[in-house]
Amino acid sequence: MNQNAIITGGSRGIGRALALKLGELGYNVVINYRSDSSKALSDELAREIEEKYHVQTLVVKADVSSFEQCRHLVEEAVKRFGDKVDVLVNNAGITNNCNFIDIKPEAYEKVIATNLMSFLHMSHLVLPYMVNHSDKDHQCCIVNTSSVGGMTGVINQADYCAAKSGVIGLSRALALEFAKRGIRVNVIAPGMIMTDMLRGVNQDELHALAATIPEGYIGDVEDIAGALEYILKASYLTGQVISPNGGFVLQ
């Protein structure tokens, strides 16, 4: 179908599952990563997507907290796949997990830059490649990853929660602004999901975490990938927050 998608922070965890889902749905996938340690993972993921789903991929290193590096990422995507971007998944994120008295300004500025400003940068740069190719019959989509932390407070995560809450506000505003131009903007706000970070927690702590969730277990990255598939196919859905969280937070 010759459709193209860009995902930031796509090398591991939730981002990896989302990138695989994009390939499964038939998109050529541009996979962004930040650190050199993630290059091998990104290259391996790209090969897996190409072999499984027979689409094309591109791996691009960029620290999306920087506008200029976001520009580089988008330019590389357009150079490879042309001036049509059908889907943008803003997924890159970091966390400090530090109380707000002790945290250094440069640390929370980095979280805001990565978890919120990158979403503005990437949307600002990609939208021109969407508006000329989208209409009611061919919608383009921006899907932004937030968190239940953006819907409720989390101790020692003030900067993270501020950024993730900002993502929701940004998404709703863009959804309204671009609805008549055939561009849908929605949010996935995951709850507790089994990623490398949680796998490093001892089993007693893990069981204690699971006990706080009404459904009684921690979600899987496939739950988030399923939400992405639903959003991309749900043509009447825009400006909404989909939160796979097992009932942990009720909207």
mmCIF file of all heavy atoms in Angstrom, residues 96-123:
data_model
loop_
_atom_site.group_PDB
_atom_site.id
_atom_site.type_symbol
_atom_site.label_atom_id
_atom_site.label_comp_id
_atom_site.label_asym_id
_atom_site.label_seq_id
_atom_site.Cartn_x
_atom_site.Cartn_y
_atom_site.Cartn_z
ATOM 1 N N ASN A 96 13.394 10.412 35.327
ATOM 2 C CA ASN A 96 14.421 10.645 36.344
ATOM 3 C C ASN A 96 14.153 9.891 37.635
ATOM 4 O O ASN A 96 15.064 9.474 38.327
ATOM 5 C CB ASN A 96 14.531 12.145 36.667
ATOM 6 C CG ASN A 96 15.220 12.928 35.578
ATOM 7 O OD1 ASN A 96 16.240 12.497 35.057
ATOM 8 N ND2 ASN A 96 14.669 14.075 35.211
ATOM 9 N N ASN A 97 12.863 9.767 38.006
ATOM 10 C CA ASN A 97 12.477 9.112 39.261
ATOM 11 C C ASN A 97 13.222 9.712 40.451
ATOM 12 O O ASN A 97 13.936 9.028 41.183
ATOM 13 C CB ASN A 97 12.730 7.602 39.184
ATOM 14 C CG ASN A 97 12.071 6.861 40.333
ATOM 15 O OD1 ASN A 97 11.032 7.294 40.831
ATOM 16 N ND2 ASN A 97 12.665 5.766 40.763
ATOM 17 N N CYS A 98 13.034 11.017 40.639
ATOM 18 C CA CYS A 98 13.755 11.749 41.690
ATOM 19 C C CYS A 98 12.808 12.716 42.374
ATOM 20 O O CYS A 98 11.934 13.309 41.734
ATOM 21 C CB CYS A 98 14.923 12.508 41.068
ATOM 22 S SG CYS A 98 15.929 13.442 42.244
ATOM 23 N N ASN A 99 12.949 12.864 43.688
ATOM 24 C CA ASN A 99 12.089 13.834 44.382
ATOM 25 C C ASN A 99 12.400 15.249 43.896
ATOM 26 O O ASN A 99 13.531 15.541 43.485
ATOM 27 C CB ASN A 99 12.229 13.705 45.904
ATOM 28 C CG ASN A 99 13.508 14.315 46.421
ATOM 29 O OD1 ASN A 99 13.628 15.530 46.552
ATOM 30 N ND2 ASN A 99 14.490 13.458 46.711
ATOM 31 N N PHE A 100 11.392 16.102 43.950
ATOM 32 C CA PHE A 100 11.485 17.382 43.252
ATOM 33 C C PHE A 100 12.375 18.400 43.964
ATOM 34 O O PHE A 100 12.776 19.394 43.367
ATOM 35 C CB PHE A 100 10.089 17.973 43.030
ATOM 36 C CG PHE A 100 10.058 18.976 41.913
ATOM 37 C CD1 PHE A 100 10.340 18.604 40.614
ATOM 38 C CD2 PHE A 100 9.770 20.315 42.175
ATOM 39 C CE1 PHE A 100 10.339 19.534 39.582
ATOM 40 C CE2 PHE A 100 9.757 21.262 41.148
ATOM 41 C CZ PHE A 100 10.044 20.863 39.850
ATOM 42 N N ILE A 101 12.721 18.167 45.206
ATOM 43 C CA ILE A 101 13.651 19.073 45.896
ATOM 44 C C ILE A 101 15.085 18.808 45.439
ATOM 45 O O ILE A 101 15.856 19.732 45.188
ATOM 46 C CB ILE A 101 13.532 18.919 47.425
ATOM 47 C CG1 ILE A 101 12.191 19.491 47.905
ATOM 48 C CG2 ILE A 101 14.695 19.632 48.137
ATOM 49 C CD1 ILE A 101 11.962 19.338 49.387
ATOM 50 N N ASP A 102 15.429 17.548 45.294
ATOM 51 C CA ASP A 102 16.815 17.193 44.977
ATOM 52 C C ASP A 102 17.141 17.204 43.489
ATOM 53 O O ASP A 102 18.311 17.264 43.112
ATOM 54 C CB ASP A 102 17.135 15.801 45.534
ATOM 55 C CG ASP A 102 17.133 15.782 47.052
ATOM 56 O OD1 ASP A 102 17.395 16.850 47.647
ATOM 57 O OD2 ASP A 102 16.854 14.722 47.635
ATOM 58 N N ILE A 103 16.145 17.147 42.649
ATOM 59 C CA ILE A 103 16.411 17.065 41.221
ATOM 60 C C ILE A 103 17.056 18.349 40.707
ATOM 61 O O ILE A 103 16.757 19.453 41.180
ATOM 62 C CB ILE A 103 15.107 16.763 40.444
ATOM 63 C CG1 ILE A 103 15.416 16.336 39.011
ATOM 64 C CG2 ILE A 103 14.169 17.958 40.462
ATOM 65 C CD1 ILE A 103 14.209 15.818 38.254
ATOM 66 N N LYS A 104 17.981 18.224 39.780
ATOM 67 C CA LYS A 104 18.652 19.379 39.190
ATOM 68 C C LYS A 104 17.831 19.904 38.011
ATOM 69 O O LYS A 104 17.224 19.126 37.273
ATOM 70 C CB LYS A 104 20.041 18.992 38.693
ATOM 71 C CG LYS A 104 20.946 18.408 39.780
ATOM 72 C CD LYS A 104 21.189 19.391 40.909
ATOM 73 C CE LYS A 104 22.152 18.804 41.931
ATOM 74 N NZ LYS A 104 22.321 19.703 43.103
ATOM 75 N N PRO A 105 17.808 21.225 37.819
ATOM 76 C CA PRO A 105 17.037 21.785 36.702
ATOM 77 C C PRO A 105 17.387 21.174 35.356
ATOM 78 O O PRO A 105 16.508 20.918 34.540
ATOM 79 C CB PRO A 105 17.369 23.276 36.749
ATOM 80 C CG PRO A 105 17.667 23.540 38.189
ATOM 81 C CD PRO A 105 18.361 22.301 38.672
ATOM 82 N N GLU A 106 18.676 20.919 35.119
ATOM 83 C CA GLU A 106 19.053 20.351 33.825
ATOM 84 C C GLU A 106 18.460 18.950 33.638
ATOM 85 O O GLU A 106 18.205 18.517 32.503
ATOM 86 C CB GLU A 106 20.570 20.300 33.655
ATOM 87 C CG GLU A 106 21.324 19.580 34.753
ATOM 88 C CD GLU A 106 21.779 20.491 35.890
ATOM 89 O OE1 GLU A 106 21.142 21.532 36.117
ATOM 90 O OE2 GLU A 106 22.784 20.138 36.536
ATOM 91 N N ALA A 107 18.207 18.254 34.736
ATOM 92 C CA ALA A 107 17.622 16.914 34.644
ATOM 93 C C ALA A 107 16.156 16.988 34.264
ATOM 94 O O ALA A 107 15.694 16.267 33.369
ATOM 95 C CB ALA A 107 17.793 16.159 35.960
ATOM 96 N N TYR A 108 15.392 17.878 34.931
ATOM 97 C CA TYR A 108 13.976 17.943 34.549
ATOM 98 C C TYR A 108 13.781 18.660 33.221
ATOM 99 O O TYR A 108 12.827 18.372 32.484
ATOM 100 C CB TYR A 108 13.088 18.506 35.657
ATOM 101 C CG TYR A 108 13.309 19.911 36.158
ATOM 102 C CD1 TYR A 108 13.069 21.022 35.364
ATOM 103 C CD2 TYR A 108 13.687 20.130 37.485
ATOM 104 C CE1 TYR A 108 13.239 22.305 35.853
ATOM 105 C CE2 TYR A 108 13.849 21.405 37.988
ATOM 106 C CZ TYR A 108 13.622 22.491 37.169
ATOM 107 O OH TYR A 108 13.776 23.778 37.663
ATOM 108 N N GLU A 109 14.699 19.543 32.858
ATOM 109 C CA GLU A 109 14.618 20.148 31.522
ATOM 110 C C GLU A 109 14.808 19.096 30.430
ATOM 111 O O GLU A 109 14.163 19.155 29.380
ATOM 112 C CB GLU A 109 15.666 21.254 31.385
ATOM 113 C CG GLU A 109 15.317 22.507 32.171
ATOM 114 C CD GLU A 109 16.460 23.513 32.219
ATOM 115 O OE1 GLU A 109 17.548 23.212 31.664
ATOM 116 O OE2 GLU A 109 16.270 24.592 32.807
ATOM 117 N N LYS A 110 15.683 18.110 30.683
ATOM 118 C CA LYS A 110 15.910 17.050 29.702
ATOM 119 C C LYS A 110 14.667 16.175 29.548
ATOM 120 O O LYS A 110 14.308 15.770 28.429
ATOM 121 C CB LYS A 110 17.104 16.192 30.127
ATOM 122 C CG LYS A 110 17.492 15.113 29.118
ATOM 123 C CD LYS A 110 18.017 15.709 27.823
ATOM 124 C CE LYS A 110 18.573 14.644 26.899
ATOM 125 N NZ LYS A 110 19.079 15.192 25.613
ATOM 126 N N VAL A 111 13.981 15.889 30.652
ATOM 127 C CA VAL A 111 12.743 15.112 30.577
ATOM 128 C C VAL A 111 11.683 15.867 29.784
ATOM 129 O O VAL A 111 11.010 15.288 28.913
ATOM 130 C CB VAL A 111 12.224 14.764 31.989
ATOM 131 C CG1 VAL A 111 10.760 14.331 31.945
ATOM 132 C CG2 VAL A 111 13.062 13.658 32.602
ATOM 133 N N ILE A 112 11.525 17.148 30.058
ATOM 134 C CA ILE A 112 10.539 17.939 29.319
ATOM 135 C C ILE A 112 10.913 18.005 27.837
ATOM 136 O O ILE A 112 10.064 17.890 26.953
ATOM 137 C CB ILE A 112 10.415 19.353 29.906
ATOM 138 C CG1 ILE A 112 9.922 19.301 31.360
ATOM 139 C CG2 ILE A 112 9.476 20.210 29.054
ATOM 140 C CD1 ILE A 112 8.548 18.696 31.541
ATOM 141 N N ALA A 113 12.205 18.174 27.561
ATOM 142 C CA ALA A 113 12.655 18.264 26.164
ATOM 143 C C ALA A 113 12.405 16.961 25.414
ATOM 144 O O ALA A 113 11.992 16.968 24.251
ATOM 145 C CB ALA A 113 14.137 18.627 26.111
ATOM 146 N N THR A 114 12.643 15.841 26.064
ATOM 147 C CA THR A 114 12.481 14.544 25.401
ATOM 148 C C THR A 114 11.028 14.112 25.354
ATOM 149 O O THR A 114 10.535 13.641 24.322
ATOM 150 C CB THR A 114 13.314 13.467 26.123
ATOM 151 O OG1 THR A 114 14.689 13.869 26.150
ATOM 152 C CG2 THR A 114 13.182 12.122 25.434
ATOM 153 N N ASN A 115 10.316 14.251 26.463
ATOM 154 C CA ASN A 115 8.973 13.679 26.590
ATOM 155 C C ASN A 115 7.860 14.593 26.108
ATOM 156 O O ASN A 115 6.726 14.129 25.943
ATOM 157 C CB ASN A 115 8.696 13.314 28.050
ATOM 158 C CG ASN A 115 9.601 12.212 28.567
ATOM 159 O OD1 ASN A 115 10.624 11.898 27.971
ATOM 160 N ND2 ASN A 115 9.238 11.624 29.684
ATOM 161 N N LEU A 116 8.160 15.869 25.902
ATOM 162 C CA LEU A 116 7.125 16.789 25.429
ATOM 163 C C LEU A 116 7.589 17.613 24.230
ATOM 164 O O LEU A 116 6.937 17.609 23.181
ATOM 165 C CB LEU A 116 6.680 17.731 26.553
ATOM 166 C CG LEU A 116 5.631 18.787 26.169
ATOM 167 C CD1 LEU A 116 4.368 18.144 25.618
ATOM 168 C CD2 LEU A 116 5.306 19.677 27.368
ATOM 169 N N MET A 117 8.735 18.291 24.367
ATOM 170 C CA MET A 117 9.181 19.156 23.279
ATOM 171 C C MET A 117 9.443 18.367 21.997
ATOM 172 O O MET A 117 9.174 18.850 20.894
ATOM 173 C CB MET A 117 10.432 19.933 23.679
ATOM 174 C CG MET A 117 10.195 20.966 24.780
ATOM 175 S SD MET A 117 8.878 22.148 24.365
ATOM 176 C CE MET A 117 9.567 22.944 22.917
ATOM 177 N N SER A 118 9.936 17.143 22.128
ATOM 178 C CA SER A 118 10.173 16.339 20.925
ATOM 179 C C SER A 118 8.874 16.065 20.188
ATOM 180 O O SER A 118 8.851 15.974 18.957
ATOM 181 C CB SER A 118 10.866 15.021 21.280
ATOM 182 O OG SER A 118 9.985 14.098 21.884
ATOM 183 N N PHE A 119 7.769 15.952 20.925
ATOM 184 C CA PHE A 119 6.470 15.711 20.302
ATOM 185 C C PHE A 119 6.032 16.942 19.508
ATOM 186 O O PHE A 119 5.465 16.816 18.415
ATOM 187 C CB PHE A 119 5.423 15.371 21.367
ATOM 188 C CG PHE A 119 5.598 14.025 22.019
ATOM 189 C CD1 PHE A 119 6.824 13.606 22.518
ATOM 190 C CD2 PHE A 119 4.522 13.170 22.175
ATOM 191 C CE1 PHE A 119 6.984 12.366 23.123
ATOM 192 C CE2 PHE A 119 4.659 11.927 22.777
ATOM 193 C CZ PHE A 119 5.894 11.528 23.251
ATOM 194 N N LEU A 120 6.300 18.128 20.062
ATOM 195 C CA LEU A 120 6.023 19.355 19.312
ATOM 196 C C LEU A 120 6.925 19.448 18.090
ATOM 197 O O LEU A 120 6.463 19.750 16.985
ATOM 198 C CB LEU A 120 6.213 20.587 20.202
ATOM 199 C CG LEU A 120 5.047 20.985 21.097
ATOM 200 C CD1 LEU A 120 5.057 20.200 22.398
ATOM 201 C CD2 LEU A 120 5.067 22.481 21.405
ATOM 202 N N HIS A 121 8.224 19.205 18.288
ATOM 203 C CA HIS A 121 9.177 19.310 17.176
ATOM 204 C C HIS A 121 8.788 18.374 16.037
ATOM 205 O O HIS A 121 8.700 18.789 14.869
ATOM 206 C CB HIS A 121 10.587 18.945 17.647
ATOM 207 C CG HIS A 121 11.176 19.857 18.668
ATOM 208 N ND1 HIS A 121 10.814 21.177 18.791
ATOM 209 C CD2 HIS A 121 12.127 19.622 19.624
ATOM 210 C CE1 HIS A 121 11.522 21.727 19.785
ATOM 211 N NE2 HIS A 121 12.313 20.814 20.281
ATOM 212 N N MET A 122 8.573 17.110 16.369
ATOM 213 C CA MET A 122 8.290 16.118 15.326
ATOM 214 C C MET A 122 6.956 16.402 14.636
ATOM 215 O O MET A 122 6.850 16.294 13.403
ATOM 216 C CB MET A 122 8.288 14.715 15.925
ATOM 217 C CG MET A 122 9.665 14.201 16.327
ATOM 218 S SD MET A 122 10.830 14.076 14.928
ATOM 219 C CE MET A 122 9.999 12.851 13.906
ATOM 220 N N SER A 123 5.953 16.792 15.391
ATOM 221 C CA SER A 123 4.656 17.103 14.782
ATOM 222 C C SER A 123 4.781 18.315 13.872
ATOM 223 O O SER A 123 4.239 18.333 12.756
ATOM 224 C CB SER A 123 3.615 17.356 15.877
ATOM 225 O OG SER A 123 3.431 16.206 16.684
#
